[in-house]
Amino acid sequence: MWRSGWRTSGVLRRLSGRSASLGAWRWASTTACERALLRYRVGEKIHGFTVSQVTSVPELTLTAVKLSHDGTGAQHLHLAREDRNNLFSVQFRTAPADSSGAPHVLEHTVLCGSQRYPCRDPFFKMLNRSLSTFMNAFTASDYTLYPFSTQNPKDFQNLLSVYLDAAFFPCLRELDFCQEGWRLEHEDPSDPQTPLVFKGVVFNEMKGAFTDNERIFSQHVQSRLLPDHTYSVVSGGDPLCIPDLTWEQLRQFHATHYHPSNARFFTYGNFPLEQHLKQIHEEALSKFQRIKPRTAVPAQKPWDKPREFQVTCAPDSLAAGSSEQTTISVSFLLPDITDTFEAFTLNLLSSLLISGPNSPFYKALIESGLGTDFSPDVGYNGCTRDAYFSVGLQGIAEKDIQTVRDLVDRTLDDIIEKGFEDDRIEALLHKIEIQMKHQSVSFGLALTSYIASCWNHDGDPVELLKLGSQVARFRKCLEENPKFLQEKVKQYFKNNQHKLTLSMKPDDKYSEKQMQLETEKLKQKVNSLSPEDKQQIYEKGLELQAQQSQPQDASCLPALKVSDIEPRIPFTEVEVALAAGDTPVQYCTQPTNGVIYFRAFSSLNTLPEELRPYVPLFCNVLTKLGCGGLDYRELAQQVDLKTGGLAAAPHVLPDDSHLDTYEQGVLFSSFCLDRNLPDMMHLWSEIFNNPCFEEEEHFRVLVKMTAQELSNGVPDAGHLYASIRAGRMLAPAGDLQETFGGMDQVRLMKSVAEMTDIKPILRKLPRIKKHLLNCDNFRCSVNATPQQMSQVENSVDSFLRTLSRSKKERKPVPPHVVEVRLCPLPARRARKPSESKPCSLAFDPVLPCSHLSLAVKSPDWRATWAGDAAASELEASRRCTLTLIKPAPKGPGRHSLVTRKLVMDPTFKPCPMKTHFLFPFPVNYVAECIRTAPYAAPAHASLKILARLMTAKFLHTEIREKGGAYGGGARLSYGGIFTLYSYRDPHSTETLQSFLKAIDWAKSGRFTQQDINEAKLSVFAAVDAPVAPSDKGLDCFLYGLSDEVKQAHREQLFAIRHEDLVDVSNRYLGAGRSTHGVAVLGPDNASIAKDPSWVIR
């Protein structure tokens, strides 16, 4: 995977690492780090390594152990921390001299087989033989990184063995280079009469990458600001230069760069360091001698005067205003990133300059109305040896370029004169404090990426981690010199002659010109071929095709067994109480390290249909327009000072039992330090009761930024947009998902951003507020430590008592609403499975049950709730197993019921739909969705295993290896939509044919028990990915999904047999069995255009 300038904005975001699937337990991290602090001594010899430093980093609750390998000089950093999710990475400094993509193609090719593991594609095969929580590889501008993480010690050793052998002893076969990098091959490899074309995974990946105008601009900024060495080229490869790379050059690049003397090893977590060092030494480093790598990147020579350039890109059909698509930025060269305190200071200074509506550049540029958003890559970039800072605007008229340049200069002058408000500096330091306490869900991965660039240039990674001491030093500098930051602005911006002004404007013929350049490159290559060369290409194409089609023996690879998977899930204790009368609040006691996490869910059932498309916009602006006595700037300041952020987002939550039933609403979320809880809840109270919808000019600014962000996101997420559209007509929830997060939303925001009079849209916000921001159909959840719960209960109760309530019950807009009342676990006690039993219950409309009720507003609908594995699709959609739970003991404020009001449509009939969204992309994003079975249906478990099986054993070969797409596979959603997809794919209709072949393959049962076991391992790796304390109990809160239901699903996964997979393949996936939907995002396609069954958009 190529990541140009692999960066995230600043210290804060880089260490937050907030994914929902991985976990880190900072609260108990005394054992591993204390052990390391007591165990290791400087000078100690361990398995060929010598300890050079042992340092406690209390702010991150870890101990850093630095070592060097005696024989090769390889560096190793171990961060001991009580985290079960252990991580390994190895990185090499890879500084290419041209844009042929050598480091990127090499990153792909080393993973295609090695001396010890010579089978084809061991990397992808290990995805199915492991319980890894993360596996990948990344090519940055000047280094290549290979990380993995897992919670299982045996799995860690297995993966480490594969990674070490891949990195240091790869096969680097010519055919693998041709498949992964590039090759000349006939369009139909078996027909030499078809024309020769360029193929290759990296070739197509980079063609897709440079459909993104933001990426094009960022690459030009880096290349032109740092022109003297490796940063002037594209490390991932320019599609027009990749065909210049030869197999021999690739092998030579590996020989000179992938040596232990040029390597940096990183391990993290609570597994013993000694075992890691022993394995690394014995399996890899002991077989090498020390060399002096010649890979250092020299410093950029400073300019004596500023420079400016203009480049072009393709027009953005989704951007607002076709005449206002110019981008401009002003960039400044900054010091070497190995000066860790100077880098820390400039990172904070960058945040003060650009972050939020109180920052000077936001006021001067964003609020000028000249553009739609900041220019790409805005702010501090510390991913190159010499850092740089960029600021500018996108979405401007070409005539305003000079105006923007003048605004940048004037703003810098104002900052030098006036400085920054103390509260803004305090808010920024508060962000660092709360992010250090926040339970990152993939902390090891966040750390290895955070230190990678500095360490790559021989900076001290441990100093980089000492955020507490850096904050203290920063405060001291401010105390000693109140103009400390102003002097930095003057030094690095005002008086800096190494200043680049880059503008980029759209060219209507840009895509056509790029295609013409590729055509000329191809013609040049083909014309240089002799008849013998062409025959050899034909034969090599046949050989590659035969290799790709040949069954692979992966028995040489290490693997876990299904028996290594834990048979039971750890149960999460939750408690529900009624607050402020009748609002249920779920409390989940967790080790949150002094941070309190608050969420609330409000139903959208009463919202008029014409307002639904505007809910995402409402959510986006709600916390940014001001409230109560605070204008939008003051609100932003309070949010930064008192919280880790306030957010609102629309959610469509499928039911676990019925394909045609779902819950719709908005999820509000925030977190704060315990001392700031009253302030955070007061902010929510003001936002709910007194939101400000009068700031028309700022609303217009937010609309433009939202539209720009959506437009910019399409090239990177095209497969997701295709999947949403393909599933639109398969279930009632599909249309709402398209409205909230599909191409319909992208196009709606484009039209809103283009409106000259935005008042009609602004007037919709108070109408949405009336239906949403009240206690009707409202529930809350809190995750906090036991010591915090009393304070939390009081604060949440006070907040809820401030909220308005409807004087009379509003009728839901959807005609059919199902009330499902769920029993939580008994208070403060984890219930054992034996305390509940399945029961078959029949419900009449609006007939409550004492512990579980189904109130149905449709008089002719009946449901029988019972499990039946042999049920038909129609019957399965009406039947499921529910667990009747004993009511929780009722005490003061305690209650046993939580109600979810689900929307259903008994008259809904799924229908097939095929949509082609035309984009000037050189690649496609393809999705086919199939209506199958919901989570609680027994078939769902079989379909989940089948999706992984089809991905690993058929689609990967057909779509990526043979087809040349960057990615592809199958997945099953919680709501029962089975999706086949491809990403950055040179094909479209051919890929749809591959989907059909995949279904035929599944129906035929051409897979083994070993294949099934590997698919189970892969599925359980996702199912068992650790969850952060902040997210514990979230499935229960949002979906009503109990641990008992999860355990039952787990047991279904374990029990899947070969015949079950063949059965669901035939029952759901075959033509005419279930309804299919198809969508393609990509260039014009003649065969699709001729087919009247397609809708062209």
Side-chain angles (χ1 to χ4, degrees), residues 677-750:
L677 178 62
D679 296 304
M680 181 176 78
M681 299 315 298
H682 175 71
L683 287 174
W684 276 125
S685 179
E686 289 294 289
I687 288 169
F688 269 65
N689 290 301
N690 305 298
C692 176
F693 297 132
E694 288 79 44
E695 290 273 3
E696 181 181 343
E697 286 309 309
H698 189 56
F699 178 63
R700 185 184 296 277
V701 166
L702 295 174
V703 165
K704 286 184 177 181
M705 293 179 74
T706 301
Q708 188 69 59
E709 288 168 5
L710 287 173
S711 172
N712 291 342
V714 171
D716 266 347
H719 62 308
L720 300 180
Y721 283 107
S723 299
I724 292 171
R725 173 56 66 134
R728 178 177 188 174
M729 304 302 291
L730 302 185
D735 190 58
L736 192 57
Q737 287 166 337
E738 173 69 32
T739 299
F740 283 169
M743 289 304 300
D744 279 2
Q745 181 65 207
V746 178
R747 292 178 182 276
L748 172 68
M749 287 309 304
K750 176 183 186 294

Side-chain angles (χ1 to χ4, degrees), residues 316 319-326 395-400 505-506 754:
D316 186 348
S322 58
S323 63
E324 297 175 345
Q325 292 193 20
T326 295
I396 71 168
E398 189 176 0
K399 64 181 178 61
D400 291 326
K505 65 177 185 178
E754 290 175 334

Side-chain angles (χ1 to χ4, degrees), residues 348-366:
L348 295 190
L349 178 58
S350 171
S351 295
L352 289 169
L353 290 171
I354 63 167
S355 295
N358 291 297
S359 65
F361 278 120
Y362 188 101
K363 294 176 183 177
L365 297 180
I366 298 296

Side-chain angles (χ1 to χ4, degrees), residues 828-845:
R828 302 196 183 282
R829 186 168 68 86
R831 182 175 48 74
K832 297 178 182 178
S834 60
E835 295 178 1
S836 65
K837 61 180 181 179
C839 61
S840 279
L841 298 174
F843 296 98
D844 287 324

